[in-house]
Amino acid sequence: MSSPAAGESSEVVNNPTTPNSSISSSSNEGGNSKKSSKDGKNRLKEEGEDGGEEEEELKAKKTKGQKRQREPRFAFMTKSEVDHLDDGYRWRKYGQKAVKNSPYPRSYYRCTSAGCGVKKRVERSSDDTSIVVTTYEGQHTHPSPITPRSGGSLLSDPAFRDHHQSVLPLHHHYNQQHHHQQQQQQLQNAYMYNSAPSLNITTTTTTSATSAASFLRDNGLLQDMVTCQMMGKVVEPKEEEEEQRF
DNA sequence: CGTCTTTGACCGGCGC
DNA sequence: GCGCCGGTCAAAGACG
Protein backbone atom coordinates (compact mmCIF):
# COMPACT_ATOMS: atom_id res chain seq x y z
CA MET A 1 0.00 0.00 0.00
CA SER A 2 1.49 2.95 0.47
CA SER A 3 -0.10 4.60 -2.23
CA PRO A 4 1.27 2.99 -5.11
CA ALA A 5 -1.30 4.67 -7.06
CA ALA A 6 0.39 7.89 -7.09
CA GLY A 7 2.61 8.29 -9.91
CA GLU A 8 0.62 6.28 -12.27
CA SER A 9 -0.94 7.79 -15.18
CA SER A 10 -4.49 8.54 -14.73
CA GLU A 11 -6.98 9.87 -17.05
CA VAL A 12 -10.40 10.54 -15.92
CA VAL A 13 -13.11 9.93 -18.26
CA ASN A 14 -16.32 10.32 -16.89
CA ASN A 15 -19.60 9.76 -18.11
CA PRO A 16 -22.39 11.28 -16.62
CA THR A 17 -25.01 10.17 -18.51
CA THR A 18 -27.85 8.46 -17.34
CA PRO A 19 -29.11 10.67 -14.81
CA ASN A 20 -31.31 8.07 -13.69
CA SER A 21 -29.04 5.32 -13.39
CA SER A 22 -27.53 5.09 -10.13
CA ILE A 23 -24.01 4.58 -10.11
CA SER A 24 -23.80 1.93 -7.84
CA SER A 25 -26.27 -0.55 -7.57
CA SER A 26 -29.80 -0.31 -7.66
CA SER A 27 -30.33 -1.93 -4.48
CA ASN A 28 -27.67 -0.19 -2.79
CA GLU A 29 -29.52 2.74 -2.35
CA GLY A 30 -29.62 2.18 1.16
CA GLY A 31 -26.19 1.78 1.00
CA ASN A 32 -25.14 4.30 3.14
CA SER A 33 -26.70 2.91 5.81
CA LYS A 34 -24.84 0.72 7.79
CA LYS A 35 -27.58 -1.48 8.23
CA SER A 36 -26.20 -4.66 7.50
CA SER A 37 -23.17 -3.97 9.30
CA LYS A 38 -24.81 -3.53 12.49
CA ASP A 39 -27.01 -6.41 12.08
CA GLY A 40 -24.24 -8.53 11.01
CA LYS A 41 -22.18 -7.68 13.89
CA ASN A 42 -24.88 -7.88 16.32
CA ARG A 43 -25.54 -11.35 15.52
CA LEU A 44 -22.02 -12.31 15.45
CA LYS A 45 -20.87 -10.57 18.52
CA GLU A 46 -23.68 -9.57 20.66
CA GLU A 47 -26.08 -12.12 19.62
CA GLY A 48 -28.89 -9.88 20.23
CA GLU A 49 -28.12 -9.00 23.70
CA ASP A 50 -29.03 -5.60 22.97
CA GLY A 51 -26.86 -2.88 22.48
CA GLY A 52 -29.01 -0.26 23.50
CA GLU A 53 -27.07 2.48 22.11
CA GLU A 54 -26.66 1.52 18.60
CA GLU A 55 -30.19 0.78 18.16
CA GLU A 56 -30.90 4.17 17.00
CA GLU A 57 -29.12 3.51 13.88
CA LEU A 58 -30.91 0.36 13.30
CA LYS A 59 -34.16 1.96 13.85
CA ALA A 60 -33.39 4.78 11.65
CA LYS A 61 -32.95 2.58 8.77
CA LYS A 62 -35.24 -0.05 9.71
CA THR A 63 -37.83 2.23 10.84
CA LYS A 64 -39.36 2.19 7.62
CA GLY A 65 -38.92 1.22 4.40
CA GLN A 66 -36.93 4.01 3.30
CA LYS A 67 -34.67 1.92 1.44
CA ARG A 68 -33.21 4.59 -0.39
CA GLN A 69 -30.89 6.71 1.42
CA ARG A 70 -29.72 9.30 -0.69
CA GLU A 71 -26.22 10.05 -0.04
CA PRO A 72 -24.36 12.30 -2.25
CA ARG A 73 -22.71 10.18 -4.76
CA PHE A 74 -20.19 11.19 -7.27
CA ALA A 75 -18.64 8.92 -9.78
CA PHE A 76 -16.00 9.48 -12.30
CA MET A 77 -13.92 7.37 -14.52
CA THR A 78 -10.23 7.43 -14.44
CA LYS A 79 -7.95 5.95 -16.92
CA SER A 80 -5.35 4.51 -14.74
CA GLU A 81 -3.42 1.39 -14.23
CA VAL A 82 -3.93 1.44 -10.56
CA ASP A 83 -7.29 0.82 -9.08
CA HIS A 84 -6.93 3.00 -6.14
CA LEU A 85 -5.97 6.57 -6.84
CA ASP A 86 -4.81 8.69 -4.04
CA ASP A 87 -7.04 11.69 -3.83
CA GLY A 88 -5.46 13.13 -0.79
CA TYR A 89 -7.54 11.33 1.76
CA ARG A 90 -6.67 8.29 3.68
CA TRP A 91 -8.83 5.31 2.75
CA ARG A 92 -9.10 1.98 4.39
CA LYS A 93 -10.22 -0.93 2.31
CA TYR A 94 -13.01 -2.77 4.01
CA GLY A 95 -14.12 -5.18 1.39
CA GLN A 96 -13.87 -6.51 -2.07
CA LYS A 97 -16.44 -8.29 -4.12
CA ALA A 98 -16.60 -9.71 -7.55
CA VAL A 99 -18.89 -7.93 -9.89
CA LYS A 100 -21.13 -9.82 -12.18
CA ASN A 101 -20.75 -7.65 -15.16
CA SER A 102 -17.09 -7.35 -14.81
CA PRO A 103 -14.38 -9.85 -14.44
CA TYR A 104 -12.71 -7.47 -12.14
CA PRO A 105 -13.53 -7.18 -8.48
CA ARG A 106 -14.93 -4.09 -6.86
CA SER A 107 -13.12 -2.65 -3.90
CA TYR A 108 -14.79 -0.79 -1.07
CA TYR A 109 -12.94 1.90 0.79
CA ARG A 110 -13.90 4.05 3.71
CA CYS A 111 -12.35 7.30 4.85
CA THR A 112 -10.33 6.65 7.94
CA SER A 113 -10.91 10.06 9.37
CA ALA A 114 -12.93 9.93 12.52
CA GLY A 115 -16.43 11.06 12.03
CA CYS A 116 -16.11 10.96 8.33
CA GLY A 117 -18.20 8.25 6.85
CA VAL A 118 -17.34 8.84 3.28
CA LYS A 119 -17.14 5.72 1.26
CA LYS A 120 -15.51 5.03 -2.00
CA ARG A 121 -16.11 2.23 -4.44
CA VAL A 122 -13.53 1.39 -7.03
CA GLU A 123 -14.04 -0.94 -9.87
CA ARG A 124 -12.42 -1.49 -13.20
CA SER A 125 -14.52 -1.20 -16.27
CA SER A 126 -15.17 -4.42 -17.99
CA ASP A 127 -15.19 -2.74 -21.31
CA ASP A 128 -12.00 -0.89 -20.88
CA THR A 129 -9.71 -2.47 -18.48
CA SER A 130 -7.69 0.65 -18.48
CA ILE A 131 -10.54 2.62 -17.03
CA VAL A 132 -11.31 2.63 -13.37
CA VAL A 133 -14.66 3.81 -12.12
CA THR A 134 -14.51 5.46 -8.76
CA THR A 135 -17.67 6.27 -6.89
CA TYR A 136 -17.59 8.51 -3.86
CA GLU A 137 -20.43 8.40 -1.41
CA GLY A 138 -20.88 11.08 1.18
CA GLN A 139 -19.06 14.19 2.08
CA HIS A 140 -15.85 14.52 4.00
CA THR A 141 -16.34 16.21 7.28
CA HIS A 142 -12.80 17.19 7.58
CA PRO A 143 -11.66 20.18 5.62
CA SER A 144 -8.15 19.31 5.06
CA PRO A 145 -7.45 15.92 3.85
CA ILE A 146 -3.79 16.21 3.64
CA THR A 147 -2.21 12.95 3.26
CA PRO A 148 -0.32 12.19 6.32
CA ARG A 149 0.92 8.88 5.12
CA SER A 150 2.16 9.46 1.75
CA GLY A 151 3.24 12.87 2.52
CA GLY A 152 1.36 14.05 -0.44
CA SER A 153 -1.29 12.96 -2.72
CA LEU A 154 -0.65 12.22 -6.21
CA LEU A 155 -1.87 15.58 -6.94
CA SER A 156 1.02 16.99 -5.21
CA ASP A 157 3.24 14.61 -6.86
CA PRO A 158 4.83 16.06 -9.87
CA ALA A 159 4.95 12.71 -11.37
CA PHE A 160 1.27 12.45 -11.26
CA ARG A 161 0.69 15.55 -13.21
CA ASP A 162 3.25 14.61 -15.60
CA HIS A 163 1.52 11.40 -16.26
CA HIS A 164 -2.04 12.07 -16.44
CA GLN A 165 -3.63 13.41 -19.44
CA SER A 166 -7.19 14.27 -18.92
CA VAL A 167 -9.61 14.37 -16.14
CA LEU A 168 -13.29 14.24 -16.44
CA PRO A 169 -15.32 14.24 -13.39
CA LEU A 170 -18.42 12.34 -13.71
CA HIS A 171 -21.19 13.84 -11.89
CA HIS A 172 -23.94 11.65 -11.07
CA HIS A 173 -27.24 12.54 -9.89
CA TYR A 174 -29.38 9.71 -9.36
CA ASN A 175 -32.80 10.59 -10.17
CA GLN A 176 -34.14 7.49 -8.97
CA GLN A 177 -36.54 7.01 -11.66
CA HIS A 178 -38.37 3.95 -12.08
CA HIS A 179 -36.06 1.86 -13.93
CA HIS A 180 -35.26 -1.50 -12.87
CA GLN A 181 -33.60 -4.25 -14.61
CA GLN A 182 -30.21 -4.29 -16.04
CA GLN A 183 -29.20 -1.17 -14.46
CA GLN A 184 -25.88 -2.54 -13.75
CA GLN A 185 -25.09 -3.37 -17.24
CA GLN A 186 -26.27 -0.12 -18.49
CA LEU A 187 -24.35 1.59 -15.87
CA GLN A 188 -21.11 0.61 -17.19
CA ASN A 189 -21.98 1.25 -20.71
CA ALA A 190 -23.54 4.47 -19.97
CA TYR A 191 -20.66 5.72 -18.05
CA MET A 192 -18.27 5.06 -20.71
CA TYR A 193 -20.00 5.78 -23.84
CA ASN A 194 -22.55 8.31 -22.95
CA SER A 195 -22.18 11.89 -23.27
CA ALA A 196 -22.37 13.94 -20.29
CA PRO A 197 -25.48 15.92 -20.26
CA SER A 198 -24.94 17.42 -17.01
CA LEU A 199 -21.42 18.05 -16.33
CA ASN A 200 -18.72 17.42 -18.68
CA ILE A 201 -15.40 18.58 -18.02
CA THR A 202 -13.29 17.76 -20.85
CA THR A 203 -9.90 18.70 -20.12
CA THR A 204 -6.83 17.46 -21.55
CA THR A 205 -3.40 17.31 -20.47
CA THR A 206 -2.05 18.53 -17.34
CA THR A 207 -4.38 21.33 -17.11
CA SER A 208 -7.33 19.25 -16.70
CA ALA A 209 -5.74 16.86 -14.47
CA THR A 210 -4.58 19.59 -12.35
CA SER A 211 -7.93 21.04 -12.24
CA ALA A 212 -9.64 17.95 -11.21
CA ALA A 213 -6.94 17.01 -8.93
CA SER A 214 -6.79 20.34 -7.40
CA PHE A 215 -10.35 20.44 -6.87
CA LEU A 216 -10.38 17.07 -5.42
CA ARG A 217 -7.66 17.76 -3.01
CA ASP A 218 -8.42 21.30 -2.36
CA ASN A 219 -11.97 20.78 -1.61
CA GLY A 220 -11.52 17.54 -0.15
CA LEU A 221 -12.95 15.77 -2.99
CA LEU A 222 -15.24 17.20 -5.41
CA GLN A 223 -16.63 20.03 -3.67
CA ASP A 224 -17.07 22.16 -6.64
CA MET A 225 -19.05 19.96 -8.77
CA VAL A 226 -20.51 17.84 -6.22
CA THR A 227 -21.40 20.47 -3.88
CA CYS A 228 -24.25 21.61 -5.85
CA GLN A 229 -25.94 18.40 -6.08
CA MET A 230 -24.76 17.17 -2.85
CA MET A 231 -25.94 20.09 -1.00
CA GLY A 232 -29.34 19.66 -2.29
CA LYS A 233 -29.50 16.27 -0.93
CA VAL A 234 -27.62 16.80 2.13
CA VAL A 235 -29.10 20.00 3.11
CA GLU A 236 -32.54 19.19 2.19
CA PRO A 237 -33.07 15.62 2.87
CA LYS A 238 -36.68 16.09 2.83
CA GLU A 239 -36.91 16.05 -0.81
CA GLU A 240 -36.62 12.55 -1.81
CA GLU A 241 -37.27 12.43 -5.39
CA GLU A 242 -36.16 15.73 -6.47
CA GLU A 243 -34.10 15.71 -9.42
CA GLN A 244 -30.95 17.35 -8.92
CA ARG A 245 -29.65 18.01 -12.18
CA PHE A 246 -27.61 20.90 -13.29
C1' DC B 1 4.06 -1.28 17.27
C1' DG B 2 0.69 0.49 14.52
C1' DT B 3 -1.75 0.46 10.39
C1' DC B 4 -3.72 -1.50 6.44
C1' DT B 5 -4.89 -5.53 3.32
C1' DT B 6 -6.89 -9.74 2.64
C1' DT B 7 -10.47 -13.25 2.91
C1' DG B 8 -14.72 -15.46 4.47
C1' DA B 9 -19.11 -15.17 6.17
C1' DC B 10 -23.39 -12.87 6.85
C1' DC B 11 -27.25 -9.92 6.10
C1' DG B 12 -30.79 -7.22 3.68
C1' DG B 13 -33.16 -6.30 -0.42
C1' DC B 14 -35.00 -7.66 -4.71
C1' DG B 15 -36.56 -10.63 -8.36
C1' DC B 16 -38.65 -14.72 -9.95
C1' DG C 1 -40.52 -19.10 -0.58
C1' DC C 2 -36.13 -19.41 -2.58
C1' DG C 3 -32.17 -17.81 -4.74
C1' DC C 4 -29.19 -14.16 -6.28
C1' DC C 5 -26.63 -10.05 -5.58
C1' DG C 6 -24.44 -6.36 -3.44
C1' DG C 7 -22.57 -4.41 0.66
C1' DT C 8 -20.30 -4.66 5.21
C1' DC C 9 -17.99 -6.52 9.06
C1' DA C 10 -14.54 -9.10 11.62
C1' DA C 11 -10.28 -11.65 12.37
C1' DA C 12 -5.87 -12.78 10.92
C1' DG C 13 -1.90 -11.75 8.48
C1' DA C 14 1.52 -8.77 6.35
C1' DC C 15 4.23 -4.77 6.03
C1' DG C 16 6.87 -0.43 7.16
Side-chain angles (χ1 to χ4, degrees):
Chain A
M1 10 223 156
S2 2
S3 56
E8 294 286 353
S9 56
S10 50
E11 183 175 337
V12 183
V13 215
N14 14 265
N15 342 290
T17 6
T18 39
N20 14 298
S21 44
S22 347
I23 301 187
S24 338
S25 43
S26 33
S27 32
N28 128 75
E29 282 47 53
N32 121 77
S33 27
K34 26 310 273 5
K35 64 204 153 261
S36 34
S37 38
K38 261 34 199 133
D39 282 355
K41 301 160 143 240
N42 272 345
R43 58 197 315 296
L44 286 171
K45 302 168 106 189
E46 310 198 21
E47 303 179 357
E49 219 37 287
D50 108 300
E53 326 135 347
E54 316 189 3
E55 292 193 15
E56 56 185 290
E57 289 194 14
L58 287 169
K59 286 171 154 200
K61 53 193 114 252
K62 276 180 146 200
T63 299
K64 219 304 80 189
Q66 289 244 352
K67 40 182 133 198
R68 59 54 152 8
Q69 291 183 17
R70 38 125 139 350
E71 279 231 4
R73 284 188 281 205
F74 175 89
F76 62 89
M77 302 175 84
T78 311
K79 196 159 203 163
S80 163
E81 303 183 20
V82 295
D83 293 3
H84 187 216
L85 291 169
D86 189 346
D87 54 10
Y89 286 94
R90 185 137 67 174
W91 301 93
R92 178 176 38 205
K93 189 174 187 175
Y94 66 87
Q96 183 174 305
K97 283 285 268 188
V99 185
K100 268 202 150 196
N101 295 316
S102 300
Y104 304 93
R106 180 182 300 169
S107 298
Y108 298 89
Y109 297 88
R110 183 176 282 178
C111 185
T112 57
S113 295
C116 184
V118 178
K119 284 181 267 193
K120 185 165 79 168
R121 236 167 296 180
V122 180
E123 63 182 282
R124 201 168 274 283
S125 174
S126 55
D127 289 327
D128 272 312
T129 59
S130 55
I131 294 185
V132 177
V133 180
T134 305
T135 306
Y136 286 94
E137 200 170 310
Q139 262 188 136
H140 287 282
T141 56
H142 38 118
S144 293
I146 40 176
T147 336
R149 77 187 349 252
S150 309
S153 57
L154 74 177
L155 306 170
S156 309
D157 207 330
F160 174 75
R161 303 168 162 197
D162 210 31
H163 287 279
H164 46 317
Q165 317 182 344
S166 60
V167 181
L168 285 159
L170 174 90
H171 155 266
H172 254 286
H173 13 288
Y174 42 108
N175 241 1
Q176 34 216 181
Q177 272 188 276
H178 5 31
H179 47 296
H180 17 349
Q181 264 191 345
Q182 329 175 304
Q183 230 171 265
Q184 306 170 358
Q185 296 188 353
Q186 297 193 13
L187 273 171
Q188 302 204 358
N189 290 329
Y191 291 172
M192 310 220 16
Y193 308 112
N194 261 317
S195 347
S198 13
L199 171 71
N200 226 347
I201 298 182
T202 325
T203 31
T204 11
T205 26
T206 316
T207 307
S208 31
T210 305
S211 269
S214 272
F215 112 103
L216 278 166
R217 167 219 261 182
D218 247 21
N219 301 304
L221 227 170
L222 343 120
Q223 187 177 333
D224 262 353
M225 33 179 55
V226 178
T227 305
C228 297
Q229 92 174 355
M230 267 177 150
M231 293 285 240
K233 296 181 165 243
V234 175
V235 178
E236 306 200 84
K238 51 176 93 210
E239 309 191 1
E240 313 189 40
E241 325 214 1
E242 54 190 313
E243 12 186 287
Q244 322 236 281
R245 38 178 22 176
F246 262 26

